[in-house]
């Protein structure tokens, strides 16, 4: 199977590596020739995964046309802010009817769209060939061959199973899911909560605060997710609570690390510069509070994050506001048809 992976950051490199290990013919595309040359000739990517040895069969190019030539599967793995540009550049270069997959955990910054809604703008007839790769998967562990589970979510069973078969290995277990929206929202929105947990740790709070943020954060994610058509069981799965746990607890997480630096008193600019890679939670916070407001949904943690990130509120004051909210019930009612999704 010929696969083009567009984006040679941490996750693009790790996914391309896993696919090449699975005997796929993989070409990874990046803009930076230093990175493609390193991957192609030295089988390393020191900027993004300094400790990893990559498969010798993995090819790399800065020429998008070469990467996409005869590709049967195209996987977009750039930060969400770059997705529109890369989808636009790649569209005229696609041949045949490849599966269009993405592994991006964020929203289009201009329109607030999910990544498959963005893809649909450019490929309105290809919905059945869309697939989302989501779930708890830090690139640093995947590239080391440490056991990992992920989700392939697609509108059709055939597409989901094609990606499942492509990625499954002794160390990478892939589950399918028909709930594309839920998988995407879980992946994008958990980044907000990871920023919050990082802030709590940076402030010196304890495990109780961490558990509270993760649990009530998941409630917020499910609440807006249901309004947007996702199924609640997806949020109890790998792309929901699974990814929330890994991102809020792993030192690999760029969102968690950014939050921790904020809690320790760094400015957002300082924290982002120190982390130096894609931190999707910042834009996701902005989009989440817009979505919450337009759908009449309460997202107090996202609002508190927005105050800290964009309005200069000291993190400790934001926590005091959260703790001082009016009393509420814990559990909300969910309609039966919103519990799980299924293919026909
Ligand atoms: N790193 C992980 O462990 C991981 C795991 C799962 C999902 N993701 C998601 O994958 C996406 C990509 O993250 P990452 O970790 O690979 O980021 P990264 O910061 O490690 O790398 C981003 C890459 O995208 C490239 N890029 C940026 N703008 C571009 C543009 N306009 N055109 C072409 N290339 C561009 C950069 O040069 C870089 O190579 C994010 O949405 C992230 O949430 C990451
Ligand atoms: O490093 P983060 O915070 O972008 O998280 C990476 C992945 O989403 C974890 O599954």
């Amino acid at each position: 199977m010929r696969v083009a992976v567009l984006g040679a950051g941490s996750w693009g490199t790790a996914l391309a590596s896993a696919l090449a290990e699975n005997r796929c013919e993989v070409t990874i595309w990046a803009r930076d020739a230093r990175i493609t040359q390193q991957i192609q000739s030295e089988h390393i990517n020191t900027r993004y995964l300094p400790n990893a040895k990559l498969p010798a069969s993995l090819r790399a190019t800065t020429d998008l046309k070469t990467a996409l030539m005869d590709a049967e599967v195209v996987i977009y793995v750039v930060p969400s802010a770059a997705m529109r540009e890369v989808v636009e550049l790649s569209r005229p270069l696609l041949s045949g009817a490849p599966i269009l997959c993405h592994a991006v955990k964020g929203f289009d910054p201009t329109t607030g769209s999910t990544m498959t809604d963005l893809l649909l703008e450019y490929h309105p007839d290809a919905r059945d060939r869309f697939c989302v790769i989501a779930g708890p998967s830090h690139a640093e562990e995947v590239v080391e061959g440490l056991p990992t589970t992920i989700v392939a979510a697609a509108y059709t069973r055939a597409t989901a199973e094609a990606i499942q078969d492509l990625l499954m290995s002794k160390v990478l277990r892939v589950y399918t899911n028909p709930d594309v929206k839920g998988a995407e929202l879980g992946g994008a929105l958990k980044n907000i909560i990871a920023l919050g947990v990082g802030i709590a740790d940076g402030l010196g709070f304890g495990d109780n605060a961490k558990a509270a943020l993760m649990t009530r954060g998941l409630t917020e994610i499910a609440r807006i997710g249901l309004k947007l058509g996702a199924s609640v069981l997806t949020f109890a799965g790998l792309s929901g609570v699974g990814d929330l746990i890994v991102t809020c607890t792993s030192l690999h997480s760029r969102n968690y690390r950014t939050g921790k630096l904020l809690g320790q008193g760094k400015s957002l600019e300082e924290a982002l510069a120190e982390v130096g890679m894609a931190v999707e939670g910042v834009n996701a916070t902005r989009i989440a509070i817009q979505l919450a407001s337009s759908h009449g949904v309460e997202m107090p943690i996202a609002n508190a994050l927005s105050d800290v990130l964009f309005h200069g509120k000291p993190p400790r004051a934001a926590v005091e506001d959260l703790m001082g909210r009016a009393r509420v019930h814990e559990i909300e009612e969910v309609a039966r048809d919103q519990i799980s999704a299924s293919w026909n």
Side-chain angles (χ1 to χ4, degrees):
M1 185 74 93
R2 261 190 70 79
V3 184
V5 175
L6 307 187
S10 336
W11 192 218
T13 304
L15 275 177
S17 180
L19 288 160
E21 298 276 9
N22 268 6
R23 296 176 197 279
C24 293
E25 252 184 79
V26 190
T27 306
I28 191 166
W29 169 82
R31 299 172 302 180
D32 186 341
R34 283 167 306 184
I35 287 183
T36 55
Q37 271 160 19
Q38 253 201 347
I39 295 175
Q40 180 83 22
S41 45
E42 297 172 59
H43 318 301
I44 51 174
N45 181 347
T46 48
R47 164 75 176 87
Y48 290 102
L49 291 170
N51 302 320
K53 186 77 188 153
L54 308 173
S57 62
L58 175 57
R59 283 179 297 222
T61 179
T62 53
D63 181 21
L64 194 51
K65 190 172 177 191
T66 303
L68 291 170
M69 197 172 294
D70 300 325
E72 295 153 276
V73 175
V74 178
I75 309 183
Y76 296 86
V77 205
V78 288
S80 54
M83 181 72 168
R84 185 174 293 279
E85 182 189 337
V86 176
V87 170
E88 276 177 5
L89 285 173
S90 58
R91 181 170 60 168
L93 304 174
L94 298 174
S95 52
I99 291 180
L100 300 176
C101 197
H102 83 79
V104 181
K105 293 176 178 170
F107 298 97
D108 178 32
T110 330
T111 61
S113 296
T114 60
M115 295 295 108
T116 52
D117 284 346
L118 188 157
L119 268 175
L120 200 60
E121 282 181 46
Y122 296 88
H123 300 280
D125 303 323
R127 196 174 182 265
D128 287 357
R129 291 186 272 120
F130 291 172
C131 188
V132 177
I133 296 171
S137 46
H138 281 295
E140 293 81 354
E141 295 189 6
V142 169
V143 86
E144 248 193 86
L146 298 178
T148 300
T149 54
I150 55 172
V151 173
Y155 296 108
T156 62
R157 186 190 292 271
T159 300
E161 288 182 353
I163 296 303
Q164 181 180 44
D165 288 345
L166 215 59
L167 278 161
M168 275 281 238
S169 73
K170 281 191 286 191
V171 287
L172 193 55
R173 182 163 176 77
V174 188
Y175 293 80
T176 57
N177 190 327
D179 183 12
V180 171
K181 187 73 86 188
E184 286 188 299
L185 291 175
L189 294 169
K190 57 81 183 171
N191 292 325
I192 303 171
I193 310 304
L195 281 170
V197 170
I199 288 176
D201 277 357
L203 287 169
F205 295 165
D207 296 335
N208 296 351
K210 194 177 291 195
L213 280 167
M214 288 166 69
T215 312
R216 293 309 299 170
L218 189 62
T219 304
E220 277 182 35
I221 293 172
R223 200 183 279 147
I224 186 69
L226 290 178
K227 279 276 181 192
L228 296 171
S231 299
V232 76
L233 273 188
T234 302
F235 299 118
L238 291 169
S239 59
V241 69
D243 209 1
L244 183 76
I245 291 170
V246 88
T247 314
C248 292
T249 60
S250 169
L251 294 178
H252 291 307
S253 166
R254 287 83 48 92
N255 287 284
Y256 169 84
R257 284 193 279 136
T258 302
K260 190 162 182 183
L261 292 167
L262 291 172
Q264 289 168 340
K266 295 262 166 78
S267 70
L268 180 57
E269 290 68 31
E270 288 168 336
L272 292 175
E274 189 165 328
V275 171
M277 294 188 210
V279 178
E280 292 278 13
V282 176
N283 180 53
T285 302
R286 209 171 46 77
I287 302 298
I289 62 162
Q290 286 168 12
L291 289 170
S293 151
S294 59
H295 288 84
V297 164
E298 277 199 62
M299 296 188 76
I301 300 174
N303 270 311
L305 247 296
S306 167
D307 287 343
V308 172
L309 296 176
F310 310 123
H311 305 296
K313 183 175 273 191
R316 203 171 284 276
V319 175
E320 279 166 17
D321 287 354
L322 276 175
M323 293 301 282
R325 292 173 61 246
R327 59 185 198 161
V328 288
H329 274 307
E330 184 182 25
I331 307 294
E332 289 154 56
E333 284 193 16
V334 174
R336 194 175 289 273
D337 64 355
Q338 291 178 318
I339 289 175
S340 68
S342 59
W343 288 299
N344 293 327

